[in-house]
Structures are given as C-alpha cells and as structure tokens.
Amino acid sequence: GELAAVISASLLTLEYAVSGAAVARSWGDKVTEWLRHGFAGADDDGNSSGSPIWVDQYLDPEWLGPINPMAFVISATSTAILLAGVKESKRVVNFFTVVKVGLVLFMIVGGFVLTRSANWTPFVPARFGAAGIFRGATSSFFGFIGFDEVVCLAGESVNPSRDLAPAVLLTIAAVSLLYVFAALALTGMQPYDDISEASGFPMAFHANGVNWAAEIAAAGEVLCLPLVVIICLLAQPRLQQALAQDGLLPPIFGETDRTGNLWFGTLFAGVAMTLISLFVPFGYLDDFISAGILLAFCITNNAVVIMRCESRNTCHSRIDVVLGLYNIVAFVTAFLLNTSYMYRYVVMVSLFLLCLGLALKLACELPLTKVAKAKSEDAILHGFEVPFVPWLPCLAIGVNAVLIFQLETIGLLILFCYIAATAAVYFCYTRQVENASRQQWRQ
C-alpha cells in the first residue's frame, strides 16, 4: 500500500498547497481589478474609465507575463501567520470565517433583491444542456474542495472520533447551500454571459447601479479570500508529518518546535506554495487540481471497501481484483459518456450492467451496514462507520469518474505526468530508504 499512499498524498497536496497557490493567484487578480476600479472609477455598467499606469505596470499579470506580485504577497503573509503557531492562526481563521460568511449572506440577499426573473429564462441554456451542467459541476467542484481538511486537523480536536464525521457533513451542507444560493443570486441579477470572471458580484452590483454594495463586495472579497489561502496551507504540514511518521518523507517533516508547531514543514510548504502562486497562471492549475482531487476521492472510496472487508474478515475471494475491475469499467463507461460516437450507448449500457454486477459481487462479500452505534468495541473505538458499503463508495467512484472526464484534456495530461513523476520518485528514492518507522508500521 505504500505506492498508493504516496500517490494519494501527492494528490492531496494538490488540494492543499497547490490549490492555495491557485486561490492566491485569483486573489491577486481581484486586488488588481479592485485597485483599477477604485482609483479610476467605474460607470454604471461596471466598466473602468481608465486606470493608473502603476497598477498595470507593477500588479497586472497581463503586463508582467506569468508573474503575479500580489499572489506572492498573500502567500508569503499566510506562511508567516502559520509559522507563528496554530493557536494564533486559529484566532485569525475564526475572525475571517465569521466575516466571510457574513459577506456571502450580504451578497446573496442583495442579489435576490435585484433579481430579474428574465435572467433565469431559460434556466438551462440550450447551448449547454445536460453536458453543460456536468461541466459546470466539475468546474465549481474547485470551490468545494477543502472540507476534508477537517480530518487533517484531527490532532487539534478534543474528541475526533465523535466530532469529525458530523463536522465534515455539516461543512459540506453549509458550503453547498451557500454556493447554490450565491449562484442563483448572481445569475438572477445579471445575465450569465455578462458576469465578470474576475469579480462577479462587485461588477454585477455596479451593473445594477448599486455602487455602494459593489464596493462592499469588492472590499470583502479582497479581505476574506486570504482566509482560503491560510486554510489550504494549514493542512499541508500535517500531511507531510503523516508521511514522515511512516518513513515516506525525511524525519524533519515530522518534527515540531517547543510550541508543537510543524515549523519546518510549514516553511517548506509555504515556500513551495509562494513560488507556484508567483509564477504559474491559474488557468494551468484549475482542471489539474480538480482532476487530482477527484482521483484522490476515488482512491479513498476504494480504501473504504478494502478496509471494511479486512476489518471484518468477510472476504472469501480476491476482493481487490474485483474492485480493480470495477474501477476500470467505471472509468471506461465515464469516458464513453463524454464522447459523441453513435455506438457509445450500447457499449455504455453494457459496461454499466457490468459495473452493477461487480458492485453486486462486492456487496455479497460485505454485509450491508448502517452508521455504527456505540455498542460494540469497534464502534466505541472508531465512533463512525461509512453506511451502505460497498454501494455508496461504488456510486461515488462512478460519479467522480464522470466528473473527471468533463475536464479539459490538458489538465488530465498534466495530472498523468504529475502521478508518473510521483511514482518515479517513490521507486528511485522512497522505496530504497529503509528506516525504523517503515519497518514498524509494516509489522
């Protein structure tokens, strides 16, 4: 399981450090846009009447090539905050979380007040259709990532076995509701094809003549978006610590200072994130990160099935082989779903039935279980069990596969090269290094 663990960790690094860099790039664009409109002013349609030359020369990535100075500033600042320690970081995060949720609610309410029903007609534009809905879901997935960071911070929880599962589920529910209502509000107050990619709500408020609300939204985005960068970076040192404890990274990544802070791991991740945010454009990171995280979730779902089987000693055959075949068929079916060939429907239905048969085979190996009650010793120890195994993990694998193939080909190619590089490092270095940590956990 070492190679799978290393690949999974590299994919989660996309979710933490690399996505933090992507958000920093987005923040840099918003700051530049805000300064341009703030100094130059804007007309009723939200168009700038001119911008100071220093904004374009020193801050605008379009003038500077791939370099984004403001992304560097916020990444370096976030690293410095986390180097100060978890307790200090927690105070900053809690403050900005309250402010950010308040800002989102303000934009949602303001958007619904300015909503014109004509902007929702048709609700699904004909040129997008069902395929557009799936593509949009995959694109917006980037805004959902990070909820599983709650698990990475289990060490800071008083009772993780009791609190983590509800915390993750409540986080997903809250983010989903806010995201859906914000999307409805934004598309309700401005036609979807007029929405600004860099600064959606502020420009939409400008277009409706509510300039004071536009200024609040723009200032709020600039003030609160750094919170996302901090949160992304917060989990990365814990991931590195877990790898170091298992002997898959040098021991220094697992060392803490006198306050319990992973100082070196934070510094290493922060410097890497800062360099990526400074030089790599957001367009190269979006689909790459989304595909990697979806693949990581597929690996997690596979692990749930295997661990459930092994923990109960219910397997009577090579369940890993059956599960591997299911993944292959699921991904081929998802690929065909995204093609335009005439024969794809027959093949797709056949593969879907094969998927169903393989899932049924897995179900025969694993009795259907619901959320564990605190009656058995195992339930008391772990506190929560995934319900409806293997049906729920198999469904998740299939959905994730469909979403992966909605992404641009270049993002998938970059991901393939990234995984290949990770595997090469593992075989050429990590696998060759023997230490006490690896021997202990293998035993």
Side-chain angles (χ1 to χ4, degrees):
E2 278 189 350
L3 178 59
V6 171
I7 291 178
S8 298
S10 68
L11 296 176
L12 290 178
T13 297
L14 298 180
E15 179 176 1
Y16 304 146
V18 181
S19 68
V23 174
R25 295 283 302 197
S26 177
W27 183 83
D29 294 338
K30 290 180 183 295
V31 170
T32 303
E33 191 76 12
W34 185 47
L35 291 174
R36 181 181 289 119
H37 284 268
F39 280 97
D43 57 26
D44 291 338
D45 294 326
N47 300 314
S48 175
S49 56
S51 59
I53 190 64
W54 64 269
V55 172
D56 292 329
Q57 286 183 334
Y58 300 110
L59 300 181
D60 191 354
E62 293 183 3
W63 283 52
L64 298 173
I67 299 176
N68 192 320
M70 297 309 297
F72 172 86
V73 170
I74 193 57
S75 297
T77 303
S78 299
T79 302
I81 291 174
L82 291 177
L83 287 174
V86 173
K87 291 184 178 180
E88 289 74 12
S89 305
K90 181 181 177 182
R91 296 189 185 99
V92 175
V93 169
N94 288 344
F95 170 76
F96 280 104
T97 298
V98 173
V99 174
K100 186 172 185 179
V101 172
L103 174 68
V104 173
L105 292 175
F106 166 77
M107 293 190 295
I108 290 174
V109 172
F112 279 128
V113 170
L114 299 172
T115 290
R116 294 186 294 272
S117 59
N119 292 333
W120 287 339
T121 305
F123 196 73
V124 179
R127 68 188 180 112
F128 296 116
I133 294 176
F134 277 102
R135 184 64 180 91
T138 310
S139 298
S140 65
F141 176 78
F142 184 87
F144 279 81
I145 61 177
F147 56 82
D148 55 305
E149 288 190 34
V150 177
V151 180
C152 290
L153 300 176
E156 275 66 52
S157 175
V158 176
N159 192 343
S161 63
R162 180 196 66 190
D163 298 336
L164 281 183
V168 171
L169 294 175
L170 288 173
T171 299
I172 295 174
V175 171
S176 299
L177 287 174
L178 290 174
Y179 206 110
V180 169
F181 281 113
L184 289 172
L186 181 58
T187 54
M189 64 174 172
Q190 189 175 30
Y192 72 91
D193 48 357
D194 293 336
I195 295 174
S196 168
E197 293 185 8
S199 192
F201 273 98
M203 293 299 101
F205 280 124
H206 270 305
N208 282 274
V210 190
N211 293 332
W212 64 269
E215 295 302 324
I216 292 176
E221 286 182 343
V222 171
L223 178 66
C224 296
L225 200 57
L227 168 66
V228 182
V229 182
I230 296 175
I231 292 297
C232 288
L233 183 58
L234 183 61
Q236 182 63 33
R238 274 85 185 159
L239 177 62
Q240 295 166 179
Q241 181 189 35
L243 289 169
Q245 289 174 342
D246 286 343
L248 301 175
L249 278 180
I252 192 172
F253 286 97
E255 296 177 0
T256 59
D257 60 18
R258 57 184 179 81
T259 63
N261 190 31
L262 294 165
W263 197 90
F264 178 82
T266 301
L267 178 64
F268 178 85
V271 170
M273 183 185 75
T274 301
L275 292 176
I276 294 172
S277 68
L278 179 62
F279 293 110
V280 183
F282 181 83
Y284 290 102
L285 298 175
D286 188 4
D287 284 354
F288 169 45
I289 294 171
S290 295
I293 298 167
L294 286 166
L295 185 58
F297 289 170
C298 287
I299 295 175
T300 302
N301 284 290
N302 280 281
V304 168
V305 176
I306 293 175
M307 291 179 66
R308 179 66 58 84
C309 179
E310 292 180 348
S311 66
R312 299 190 174 186
N313 296 318
T314 57
C315 297
H316 303 293
S317 63
R318 291 298 302 275
I319 196 169
D320 53 340
V321 175
V322 179
L323 194 58
L325 290 174
Y326 174 83
N327 279 267
I328 293 173
V329 175
F331 272 80
V332 172
T333 305
F335 172 76
L336 291 175
L337 185 63
N338 197 43
T339 64
S340 57
Y341 303 112
M342 294 299 295
Y343 65 83
R344 65 170 180 160
Y345 297 105
V346 176
V347 178
M348 192 173 62
V349 171
S350 302
L351 292 176
F352 174 77
L353 293 175
L354 181 56
C355 278
L356 193 62
L358 292 171
L360 182 61
K361 169 65 175 175
L362 292 172
C364 293
E365 300 285 349
L366 291 168
L368 188 65
T369 58
K370 297 183 179 181
V371 179
K373 304 296 183 180
K375 295 180 180 179
S376 65
E377 181 180 349
D378 183 67
I380 293 174
L381 176 62
H382 298 290
F384 177 83
E385 287 186 348
V386 178
F388 311 118
V389 175
W391 297 107
L392 188 58
C394 286
L395 176 62
I397 291 169
V399 172
N400 289 338
V402 171
L403 294 178
I404 286 174
F405 286 109
Q406 300 296 319
L407 298 169
E408 298 294 334
T409 304
I410 183 64
L412 300 180
L413 290 176
I414 295 174
L415 176 63
F416 176 81
C417 295
Y418 177 75
I419 295 175
T422 300
V425 171
Y426 169 76
F427 285 112
C428 295
Y429 171 73
T430 306
R431 193 177 183 184
Q432 309 302 323
V433 178
E434 286 293 339
N435 52 49
S437 297
R438 293 179 69 189
Q439 293 174 2
Q440 181 178 1
W441 77 262
R442 281 174 176 174
Q443 293 173 359

